[in-house]
Amino acid sequence: MPDAQPHSDASPADRPPEIAAFDVVVVGAGFGGLYMLHRLRGLGLSARVFEAADGVGGTWYWNRYPGARCDVESMQYSYSFSEELQQEWHWPERFSAQPDILRYANHVADRFDLRRDIRFETRVTSVAWDEAAERWTVETDRGDRITARFCIMATGCLSAARMPDIPGLDSFEGDTYHTGHWPHEGVDLAGRRVAVIGTGSSAIQAIPVIAEQAGHVTVFQRTPNFSIPSRNKPMDAEYENLWKSDYRARRLKARTMRNGILYHLNDKGAMEVSEEDRLREYEARWEGGGIAFMAAYNNLALDAEANRTAADFVREKIRSIVRDPAKAEALMPRDYPIGTKRICVDTDYFETFNRDNVSLVDLRKTPIEAIAPKGVRTTDGTVHEADAIVFATGFDAMTGALLKAGIRGRGGLALADKWEEGPRSYLGLMVAGFPNLFTITGPGSPSVLSNMMVSIEQHVDWIADCLAYLGATGVRTIEATQEAEDAWVAHGMEVANRTLYPRAASWYMGANIPGKPRVFMPYIGGVGVYREKCDEIAAKGYEGFRLSPPPATAARAEAAE
Ligand code: NAP
């Protein structure tokens, strides 16, 4: 029986605080939270979803900066759980722009009537385990106090936007923006002098679009990035029909792939072929566009020499595109293997540096000293004047949003304390000491190294199946054992250390946040392998989890009733 089902209207801004009991609380109404709610309804469980924004969509709600676009192809960056939905929905472009993805999230929320269980504009401030009641108490900044048997964190991997701690920020006389919190009404940058700080995926998408409007753009680059052209184009009807003709089979195949994306992964190593063949392959992938470039050979993430051939190819492309040799040199990444910082995908990024109204400041030569009233001051004393500063400075990735929720488990243990030396979890799904709390695409799962839609659906389905099992067997609590968690963390590190990834100071490693522990956070063993592992664990009666009371006892008790 569901615990309770109080009022069901979408929340007005001035709604009274809600004091109630539910089976499940879900935090976040992005793609993870939306599908989770849908599955919980199917199980007959009562659920309350809290969402800080005033609408659904998560990352696609917040990241409205000019040029924001997904770099997984539209036909694959969408839900697969409803055949009708995937057949009926039409994506206008090969790679979807943010407004189209947000439109899709809203469509899903309406189509499956999800909004009535979501409380918008409500931020979760505390999530505490009540040992005696075996329930979570969830509190919000609107005074809500909800208890629930289960709590599911669907807070996303890249949702805690990060402003760097640069002195003088308050003194700036112009406007400041963060790509991850772009104003909903848009920003008119026409004719203005715009400083862009950062050259990650967000900046690389935004800069070419901003440069078309702005009077002048000054790009502040600390670390150059590898970027592959997207070759975005309107959706080809034939291509769309091809996908839709056997969508299900394609989705199933994608789930077995290393990163949950169906594309041609060459089964050869880069050094197994001649240089001529290699260049031909890279050229074809560069022309094809997108992140499939990194699948040109099967060992680009593993073998430094193989990796260097791909990196050299992209560096040569930068040299051939950017006319000013000094700018071209500054834009070439040299101190980390290609792909070990998230590969970027762009539309005319390097070409943009040929424009007269775009200049580049190499922060490795002249770091930012302070923000001055009129612009950005570098250590050579120059004030780069600007009317607006765009911070494209990224996120406290993977752990930031989870830690902000104020989660406390058994004995009042704060998740922040447990993760002081880096996130530890079992499968990126549960954390020892935090019973009945699940993390959708948490650290320790493939998450950001994969097609997020595939990983979200896999986690939501696994959690839903788990809850159904617990319900059917009378189990009240499920918790990762310490041993299983330790073994999973060790395995994750071992797999990561077999790759080149730990060689880069990336946000995967927590390296973008001063003081954050350097731990490789996502699971890099591959989406297909990971899914098998999760399924196997469930099939063995949730191996590595402590179920209480044990299902056998629960079943016996049920039979005796
Ligand atoms: P990001 O990759 O973390 O990039 C942040 C940028 O800001 C980096 O260039 C960083 O330099 C720079 N930076 C940070 N602090 C700075 C400081 N104090 N001074 C100067 N520069 C500073 O963040 P992002 O671009 O928002 O992307 C984050 C992730 O979101 C991506 O990796 C991707 O997974 C996802 N994303 C995906 C898409 C897509 O699907 N196409 C688009 C956007 C974002 P350093 O490198 O030196 O730290």
Side-chain angles (χ1 to χ4, degrees):
M1 266 293 284
D3 275 325
Q5 194 73 71
H7 57 89
S8 61
D9 52 322
S11 60
D14 57 353
R15 67 174 175 80
E18 187 178 25
I19 314 290
F22 286 86
D23 292 322
V24 188
V25 163
V26 178
V27 187
F31 283 123
L34 290 178
Y35 180 41
M36 192 73 245
L37 174 59
H38 178 65
R39 285 296 320 261
L40 292 172
R41 290 232 189 109
L43 294 173
L45 295 171
S46 65
R48 169 63 71 238
V49 181
F50 289 116
E51 167 56 58
D54 69 4
V56 299
T59 201
W60 301 104
Y61 172 96
W62 296 106
N63 286 270
R64 299 173 187 231
Y65 58 85
R69 187 179 290 285
C70 186
D71 59 13
V72 175
E73 283 197 13
S74 312
M75 295 310 291
Q76 306 202 49
Y77 192 84
S78 50
Y79 287 123
S80 68
F81 70 83
S82 160
E83 184 61 20
E84 295 74 31
L85 172 66
Q86 67 181 5
Q87 287 297 335
E88 285 168 26
W89 188 261
H90 167 70
W91 294 104
E93 291 180 274
R94 177 186 180 193
F95 293 103
S96 293
Q98 175 271 336
D100 286 322
I101 305 176
L102 189 58
R103 194 164 52 81
Y104 175 75
N106 277 292
H107 170 81
V108 169
D110 292 334
R111 183 176 184 126
F112 297 98
D113 186 24
L114 299 175
R115 291 180 207 277
R116 63 188 158 89
D117 289 326
I118 307 173
R119 295 290 171 261
F120 292 103
E121 296 180 82
T122 306
R123 188 172 282 283
V124 166
T125 51
S126 155
V127 179
W129 178 246
D130 179 337
E131 204 91 51
E134 293 184 323
R135 295 177 73 84
W136 287 98
T137 303
V138 177
E139 294 178 347
T140 74
D141 61 357
R142 288 187 176 277
D144 305 299
R145 194 163 200 274
I146 302 293
T147 72
R149 279 185 64 204
F150 300 98
C151 180
I152 301 174
M153 301 301 293
T155 40
C157 297
L158 294 157
S159 42
R162 180 183 166 264
M163 281 293 276
D165 197 8
I166 303 176
L169 188 55
D170 289 344
S171 72
F172 184 58
E173 290 170 1
D175 301 316
T176 58
Y177 307 97
H178 191 288
T179 47
H181 280 288
W182 202 258
H184 289 193
E185 61 281 12
V187 181
D188 183 8
L189 294 171
R192 297 169 81 192
R193 296 166 304 170
V194 182
V196 179
I197 300 182
T199 49
S201 295
S202 301
I204 279 178
Q205 291 184 330
I207 288 164
V209 183
I210 293 175
E212 279 176 13
Q213 312 157 8
H216 191 88
V217 180
T218 310
V219 177
F220 293 83
Q221 173 190 266
R222 191 163 66 183
T223 311
N225 255 306
F226 292 100
S227 188
I228 311 297
S230 71
R231 313 290 179 204
N232 184 39
K233 55 186 176 187
M235 180 61 70
D236 180 271
E238 218 173 295
Y239 185 70
E240 181 178 357
N241 289 338
L242 193 67
W243 267 85
K244 289 187 174 175
S245 66
D246 63 348
Y247 225 149
R248 187 165 163 69
R250 284 167 186 254
R251 299 287 205 178
L252 292 177
K253 177 85 177 121
R255 292 175 188 174
T256 67
M257 303 290 285
R258 189 174 67 187
N259 54 10
I261 304 174
L262 200 54
Y263 55 37
H264 175 56
L265 171 62
N266 198 338
D267 58 6
K268 285 200 185 77
M271 311 317 285
E272 286 176 48
V273 301
S274 68
E275 188 181 0
E276 201 186 345
D277 284 352
R278 218 166 33 232
L279 290 177
R280 197 178 307 119
E281 180 69 21
Y282 288 144
E283 191 64 46
R285 300 247 174 189
W286 180 268
E287 282 311 313
I291 49 180
F293 182 84
M294 290 307 294
Y297 293 101
N298 68 5
N299 59 346
L300 295 183
L302 303 173
D303 181 284
E305 199 187 349
N307 185 287
R308 188 186 41 74
T309 64
D312 281 346
F313 177 87
V314 176
R315 281 189 284 261
E316 276 316 305
K317 284 290 179 193
I318 297 171
R319 197 191 306 283
S320 72
I321 296 169
V322 181
R323 288 198 287 271
D324 174 346
K327 263 191 194 171
E329 188 56 43
L331 286 164
M332 285 180 211
R334 293 201 178 273
D335 53 5
Y336 60 93
I338 185 170
T340 56
K341 276 168 97 85
R342 171 66 147 67
I343 193 90
C344 300
V345 174
D346 68 277
T347 300
D348 293 339
Y349 176 63
F350 294 116
E351 288 81 351
T352 296
F353 289 91
N354 292 331
R355 295 176 67 109
D356 293 337
N357 70 335
V358 176
S359 52
L360 179 67
V361 178
D362 186 347
L363 299 180
R364 291 169 304 179
K365 291 187 176 144
T366 53
I368 295 175
E369 192 173 65
I371 305 292
K374 300 279 177 222
V376 181
R377 190 169 74 236
T378 43
T379 48
D380 58 353
T382 311
V383 174
H384 303 270
E385 293 200 355
D387 307 310
I389 303 177
V390 173
F391 288 88
T393 43
F395 301 87
D396 184 354
M398 306 207 68
T399 56
L402 288 170
L403 296 182
K404 272 209 296 202
I407 302 172
R408 287 185 178 271
R410 278 195 199 284
L413 175 65
L415 187 63
D417 289 337
K418 160 128 189 176
W419 284 4
E420 203 177 357
E421 288 173 16
R424 304 182 67 79
S425 77
Y426 182 33
L427 301 170
L429 274 163
M430 294 197 89
V431 180
F434 297 78
N436 290 8
L437 179 109
F438 297 89
T439 51
I440 296 178
T441 64
S445 73
S447 56
V448 292
L449 296 175
S450 70
N451 177 351
M452 287 303 290
M453 294 300 260
V454 170
S455 287
I456 282 171
E457 284 195 324
Q458 186 246 333
H459 266 193
V460 169
D461 287 337
W462 193 93
I463 294 167
D465 292 349
C466 175
L467 296 188
Y469 175 83
L470 302 184
T473 54
V475 172
R476 287 194 308 275
T477 63
I478 178 168
E479 180 180 353
T481 66
Q482 194 57 60
E483 302 73 54
E485 181 178 283
D486 291 346
W488 183 252
V489 171
H491 168 64
M493 272 166 56
E494 193 234 324
V495 182
N497 287 334
R498 273 189 248 147
T499 75
L500 301 172
Y501 276 80
R503 297 193 190 186
S506 66
W507 58 256
Y508 296 136
M509 298 284 295
N512 63 328
I513 306 287
K516 190 165 173 171
R518 299 278 175 113
V519 177
F520 192 77
M521 294 185 286
Y523 178 66
I524 200 171
V527 161
V529 172
Y530 172 81
R531 173 185 292 269
E532 276 176 22
K533 185 88 194 150
C534 290
D535 289 349
E536 199 182 294
I537 285 167
K540 287 185 183 161
Y542 294 90
E543 191 180 47
F545 292 95
R546 192 176 304 110
L547 308 187
S548 174
T553 321
R556 268 203 304 276
E558 231 167 68
E561 268 173 19

